[in-house]
């Protein structure tokens, strides 16, 4: 595959990972982890592991993100920081 595409995907994966760690809002962190999982899905597909990419897309980017967002919406905010 084209190495430039792989490099762009890798850089975006690293940016999403650091952003998910640094962000203070739980909803933003959950959505960034969903984006991270989707980018990992693209990385697996580029490497030729289509079955792993499909599993990552359904479980990682799909179901886990929905569960995390639902859990965030069921919590309450105690402080205003």
């Amino acid at each position: 595959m084209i190495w430039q595409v792989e490099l762009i995907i890798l850089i975006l994966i690293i940016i999403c990972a650091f952003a998910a760690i640094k962000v203070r809002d739980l909803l933003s962190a959950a959505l960034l982890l969903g984006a991270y999982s989707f980018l990992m899905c693209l990385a697996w597909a580029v490497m030729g592991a289509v079955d792993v990419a499909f599993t990552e897309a359904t479980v990682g980017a799909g179901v886990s993100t929905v569960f995390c967002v639902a859990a965030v919406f069921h919590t309450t905010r105690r402080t205003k920081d």
Side-chain angles (χ1 to χ4, degrees), residues 19-43:
I21 292 171
K22 291 293 184 182
V23 73
R24 304 245 333 148
D25 187 34
L26 290 177
L27 182 61
S28 299
L31 292 176
L32 280 168
L33 287 175
Y36 172 83
S37 293
F38 179 72
L39 289 169
M40 283 300 296
C41 165
L42 290 178

